[in-house]
Amino acid sequence: MAIVCKSAAEIEKMRHSGRIVREVLDHLRTLVAPGVSTMDLERAAEQKMKDLGAKPAFKGYYDYPCVLCTSINDEIVHGIPSAKRVLKAGDIVSIDCGVVVDGYYGDAAITVPADDSITPELHKLLDVTEASLYRGIEAARIGNAVGDVGAAVQEFVEANGFSVVREFVGHGIGTRLHEEPQVPNFGTRGHGARLREGMVLAIEPMVNSGQPGTRVLDDKWTAVTVDGSYSAHFEHCVAVTRDGPMILTQ
Ligand code: MF3
Ligand code: CO
């Protein structure tokens, strides 16, 4: 499959899906607190999507069982919501949410502290990961390459003493959740596919406080850091336009 470029009308539809994703995430953020389980977040997300007339994008995708991915502390991505996973003071949780509205997908993620008792190091991990997303977004310009996006993320993360995950990457998005191209959070400037007008990329840095290595738990989904270090994850969908990068999930 080749990279699919979107018309202005399609990008408007994706902006609508993206706004709904953001509305769900904004709501979930207010619920996060010690004592809340990741199943509580799942239930709230399901209800909110229903209220907003959106269908979940993840549930049933390769048999994934939930509408959210919720990944706590050393979990990187694809944590499965569970009533047994209860947030504690000092935890961080990545909430990844995707919807489809009128045939077009939206996908975004945030990482939030359970409360204000997280360590300064964790606070820095969240700030650096989110800022690295914006470095990547700034590079999503016509004429740049996919490698420029990855390099922008990687250079910023590594300059701040953290590491980028290699085994999971961002992606094109549109009428499918995952389209070409893959969008790694590492790379070499000028390398990879050239960005053209109308491409839409889900840029999603996954940043570890320690080593970059990952492994997947026996549940076949949850990706964790090999060294037990913390991991953060932020994601936006971004359209490559003549006026520069346009964030669709805000
Ligand atoms: N945001 C993640 C991604 O783009 C979520 C996918 S989880 C899955 O890969 F369950 F849908 F696979
Ligand atoms: Co994604």
Side-chain angles (χ1 to χ4, degrees):
M1 279 295 273
I3 299 173
V4 181
C5 292
K6 282 79 180 174
S7 68
E10 290 180 295
I11 287 172
E12 266 318 299
K13 286 188 169 192
M14 294 191 70
R15 185 131 80 152
H16 182 65
S17 305
R19 274 203 207 99
I20 287 177
V21 170
R22 181 58 46 193
E23 216 169 306
V24 175
L25 287 175
D26 282 347
H27 176 57
L28 296 176
R29 179 197 287 282
T30 68
L31 303 180
V32 168
V36 170
S37 79
T38 52
M39 185 54 75
D40 295 333
L41 300 177
E42 166 77 10
R43 296 274 177 258
E46 249 185 326
Q47 185 58 50
K48 194 79 182 171
M49 286 180 195
K50 214 170 269 170
D51 294 346
L52 296 169
K55 284 207 295 231
F58 299 169
K59 196 169 186 163
Y61 189 78
Y62 290 105
D63 286 332
Y64 185 73
C66 290
V67 307
L68 296 180
C69 297
T70 49
S71 310
I72 302 172
N73 296 344
D74 64 321
E75 297 171 350
I76 302 165
V77 285
H78 303 165
I80 303 173
S82 160
K84 294 183 196 145
R85 300 305 306 279
V86 177
L87 295 170
K88 304 185 310 297
D91 284 348
I92 57 170
V93 60
S94 148
I95 307 172
D96 190 348
C97 174
V99 303
V100 55
V101 186
D102 202 11
Y104 287 83
Y105 283 78
D107 183 11
I110 54 175
T111 304
V112 292
D115 66 352
D116 55 20
S117 77
I118 63 167
T119 64
E121 171 79 356
L122 267 187
H123 202 93
K124 182 182 171 194
L125 178 68
L126 300 186
D127 285 351
V128 166
T129 305
E130 186 168 24
S132 77
L133 168 59
Y134 287 94
R135 294 296 180 108
I137 290 170
E138 268 309 301
R141 294 178 179 276
I142 295 170
N144 273 358
V146 169
D148 289 292
V149 175
V153 172
Q154 181 179 17
E155 285 166 14
F156 183 76
V157 167
E158 292 178 354
N160 280 285
F162 298 132
S163 60
V164 295
V165 165
R166 310 294 202 274
E167 290 81 8
F168 301 91
V169 298
H171 49 94
I173 182 168
T175 56
R176 291 176 301 136
L177 176 61
H178 293 150
E179 297 185 357
E180 283 189 37
Q182 291 196 45
V183 184
N185 298 298
F186 55 94
T188 306
R189 289 184 193 276
H191 284 234
R194 288 278 148 197
L195 301 185
R196 298 192 309 273
E197 184 179 0
M199 284 187 188
V200 180
L201 306 177
I203 304 176
E204 48 180 318
M206 289 148 264
V207 174
N208 296 352
S209 62
Q211 295 305 307
T214 69
R215 79 190 162 87
V216 174
L217 298 184
D218 287 339
D219 66 15
K220 301 279 202 328
W221 281 102
T222 312
V224 300
T225 61
V226 162
D227 61 3
S229 64
Y230 286 85
S231 189
H233 176 214
F234 285 82
E235 176 177 23
H236 269 309
C237 293
V238 180
V240 177
T241 81
R242 248 179 287 184
D243 302 323
M246 177 198 276
I247 300 175
L248 305 179
T249 38
Q250 66 181 4

